[in-house]
């Protein structure tokens, strides 16, 4: 990875007239902004259908695309939606995402579009499903789930379906053929639009960094159809679940509740599930951030039914057995290790053995001169410097809530005299650009100088996250030129 810079902005945070960012015109306009600003990377968050808490990290599929991201204007231009139907979906720009309204109305709108596709498109979608094994399972899962009122697969009243028995599945395929065809077309539509957008972005010399969540949801097509890959009992329920111990984000730790992998079984078949998973991600992204990298070394396992993550314990992860397979199977992929959290010697050793660049977060840096996140402490350029990630506050919000000691040291280190969040935010961006890290990434909110009102996620808080939207008109030529000037000054253009 050459010396360069990028901006973190989730797809859902793009401006849009329809309540959530999409793969349409505004995404291309943001890519144009990145190009003018001299940025060579656009980092986004997972793009799968969201699950509990509207989180992209609790998806019902590790492979599928989020139907909310399908651009409605593109469908209308193809004659699949009317102007009146578009008008019914419009909401005021700049407000936070109303996921409840999207769940209530977006599928009905897409079904209207689906009813108008011609036979050629229906056949193309069908062929796409036949050539895409995960889609055959996912479309069936979504159709059965709808039949049972949205219940999780482990609560379906038919035991044979819960157990994914072939005879029971064949009956559902026949009875739910129309619903299966709809969910197939939605994914065909998503991937068609995605490939068009990615070609446009790449054509500008910009590459996309995507995120691969470490775990998948219990209620997902992945667990339902491939239970052998996970530690589950005879009913398909986990005895232990994922989380993290108490840390700087949450005093009780974070109880995520995802099922844990059966690493021994995965290793025996050559980690085929992970190979397929990364193959799917490589179709979407040019670089992949491996979420919660420390779990590949050792992970926090919490007894199912525990009230907090405090009751967990460390267990051995797959280490280089898995990472060696992934890096050898996909040498063309740039990987980033999200080596944050409680880091032990085995995590540092695994990152060095794998050769993957780790992450340095400036918002964590200002406890004193020995802090490893300070730019002068970076041992070499093989790392990615961030102002903050999606789990952090914005730079201005971080400074406003920092301790007096952190503020004082940050001002001293950054050469800032004024006790002012905006001034410190600009200095933080300059420090990141000037660091030796091979890549510097800032949240778009930091270039806009926004405070905590624009924070994307507060870890450990189950509601109210993932809903910030950038207001239209913010990606001005003047801002792009200012970012380019800063980027060029430090040799990142």
């Amino acid at each position: 990875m050459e010396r360069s810079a990028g901006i973190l902005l989730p797809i859902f945070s793009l401006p849009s007239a329809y309540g959530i960012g999409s793969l349409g015109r505004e995404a291309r306009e943001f890519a144009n902004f990145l190009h003018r600003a001299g940025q060579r990377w656009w980092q986004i968050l997972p793009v799968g259908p969201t699950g509990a808490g509207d989180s992209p990290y609790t998806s019902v599929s590790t492979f599928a695309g989020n139907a909310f991201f399908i651009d409605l204007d593109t469908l209308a231009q193809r004659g699949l939606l009317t102007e009146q139907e578009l008008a019914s979906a419009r909401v005021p720009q700049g407000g936070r995402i109303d996921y409840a309204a999207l769940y209530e109305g977006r599928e009905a709108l897409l079904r209207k579009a689906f009813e108008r596709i011609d036979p050629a498109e229906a056949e193309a979608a069908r062929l796409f499903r036949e050539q895409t094994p995960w889609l055959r399972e996912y479309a069936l899962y979504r159709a059965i789930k709808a039949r049972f009122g949205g219940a999780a697969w482990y609560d379906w009243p038919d035991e044979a379906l819960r157990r994914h028995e072939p005879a029971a599945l064949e009956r559902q395929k026949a009875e739910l053929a129309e619903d299966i065809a709809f969910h197939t077309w939605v994914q065909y539509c998503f991937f068609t639009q995605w490939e068009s957008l990615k070609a446009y972005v790449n054509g500008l010399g910009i590459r996309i960094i995507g995120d691969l969540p470490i775990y998948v949801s219990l209620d997902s097509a992945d667990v339902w159809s491939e239970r052998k890959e996970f530690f589950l009992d005879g009913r398909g329920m986990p005895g232990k679940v994922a989380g993290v111990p108490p840390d700087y984000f949450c005093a009780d730790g974070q109880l995520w509740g995802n099922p844990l992998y059966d690493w021994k079984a995965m290793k025996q078949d050559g980690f085929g599930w992970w190979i397929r998973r990364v193959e799917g991600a490589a179709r979407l992204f040019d670089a992949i951030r491996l979420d919660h990298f420390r779990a590949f070394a050792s992970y926090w396992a919490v007894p199912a039914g525990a009230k907090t993550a405090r009751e967990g314990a460390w267990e051995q992860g797959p280490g280089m057995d898995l990472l060696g397979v992934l890096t050898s199977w996909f040498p063309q992929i740039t990987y980033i290790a999200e080596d944050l959290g409680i880091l032990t010697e085995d995590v540092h050793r695994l990152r060095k053995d794998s050769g993957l660049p780790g992450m340095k977060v400036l918002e964590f840096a200002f406890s004193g001169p020995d802090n490893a996140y300070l730019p002068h402490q970076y041992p070499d350029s093989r790392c990615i410097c961030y102002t903050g990630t999606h789990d952090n506050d914005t730079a201005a919000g971080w400074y406003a809530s920092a301790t007096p000691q952190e503020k004082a040291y940050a001002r001293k280190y950054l050469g800032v005299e004024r006790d002012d969040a905006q001034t410190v935010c600009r200095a933080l961006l300059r420090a990141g650009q000037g660091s030796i890290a091979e890549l510097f990434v800032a949240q778009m909110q930091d270039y806009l100088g926004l405070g905590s009102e624009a924070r994307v996620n507060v870890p450990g808080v189950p509601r109210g996250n993932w809903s910030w939207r950038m207001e239209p008109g913010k990606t001005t030529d003047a801002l792009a030129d200012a970012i380019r000037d800063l980027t060029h000054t430090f040799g990142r253009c």
Side-chain angles (χ1 to χ4, degrees), residues 25-37:
R25 174 176 56 84
E26 290 85 358
R28 286 166 173 77
E29 289 177 352
F30 185 69
N32 293 339
F33 171 83
L34 291 173
H35 178 65
R36 179 162 182 149

Side-chain angles (χ1 to χ4, degrees), residues 84-302:
Q84 184 177 4
E85 288 163 348
L86 286 181
S88 70
R90 291 193 182 104
V91 298
Q93 297 230 40
R96 300 188 77 85
I97 297 168
D98 184 345
Y99 283 100
L102 288 171
Y103 282 116
E104 182 178 345
R106 187 56 56 90
E107 182 172 313
L109 198 60
L110 291 175
R111 284 185 182 274
K112 289 179 180 179
F114 170 66
E115 291 168 359
R116 295 167 184 151
I117 65 173
D118 60 30
E121 184 165 347
E123 177 62 13
R126 189 193 66 79
L127 289 174
F128 178 58
R129 183 180 71 222
E130 292 309 308
Q131 297 164 2
T132 312
W134 67 260
L135 180 51
R136 296 197 293 270
E137 297 287 357
Y138 174 74
L140 178 59
Y141 161 84
R142 289 297 301 264
I144 299 174
K145 189 177 178 69
R147 165 167 278 188
F148 294 132
W153 66 263
Y154 45 82
D155 288 329
W156 293 348
D158 188 324
E159 182 179 356
L161 289 178
R162 294 197 303 270
R163 297 178 65 86
H164 201 261
E165 293 181 1
L169 300 182
E170 289 303 317
R171 289 193 295 272
Q172 295 298 314
K173 289 176 184 177
E175 295 174 11
L176 299 174
E178 185 69 12
D179 231 16
I180 291 169
F182 166 70
H183 290 292
T184 295
W185 172 78
V186 167
Q187 292 305 306
Y188 171 78
C189 190
F190 172 90
F191 279 94
T192 299
Q193 290 194 4
W194 180 273
E195 289 168 5
S196 175
L197 173 63
K198 187 173 185 295
Y200 184 87
V201 172
N202 289 166
L204 295 173
I206 298 164
R207 288 167 286 177
I208 298 173
I209 301 173
D211 215 344
L212 193 70
I214 177 66
Y215 296 117
V216 299
S217 298
L218 178 60
D219 182 23
S220 65
D222 312 293
V223 178
W224 172 64
S225 63
E226 302 196 69
R227 281 166 55 169
K228 67 181 187 302
E229 308 288 355
F230 303 88
F231 264 126
L232 305 171
D233 62 21
R235 299 181 301 112
M237 302 304 292
K240 297 178 182 178
V241 296
V244 291
D247 59 12
Y248 40 69
F249 284 128
C250 188
D252 285 328
Q254 298 174 50
L255 185 56
W256 296 336
N258 309 78
L260 299 172
Y261 298 110
D262 187 340
W263 289 119
K264 183 178 179 180
M266 285 184 157
K267 183 178 179 180
Q268 287 176 346
D269 84 342
F271 297 104
W273 186 85
W274 275 91
I275 291 171
R276 296 193 302 276
R277 191 182 191 209
V278 172
E279 185 177 41
R283 180 175 181 176
L284 296 167
F285 314 125
D286 302 297
I288 297 172
R289 192 191 84 136
L290 297 175
D291 170 55
H292 197 53
F293 179 82
R294 73 137 301 116
F296 294 109
S298 52
Y299 55 92
W300 193 248
V302 184

Side-chain angles (χ1 to χ4, degrees), residues 7-15 19-21 30 94-99 394 443-457 464-472 474-475:
I7 292 178
L8 168 59
L9 182 72
I11 296 294
F12 59 74
S13 292
L14 288 164
I20 192 170
F30 185 69
R96 300 188 77 85
I97 297 168
D98 184 345
Y99 283 100
T394 65
Q443 295 191 79
M444 185 61 196
Q445 299 96 304
D446 296 341
Y447 283 118
L448 295 172
L450 300 177
S452 298
E453 76 282 353
R455 183 169 183 168
V456 168
N457 180 49
N465 296 314
W466 321 108
S467 59
W468 176 73
R469 299 169 64 205
M470 182 169 63
E471 294 179 1
K474 293 297 183 180
T475 51

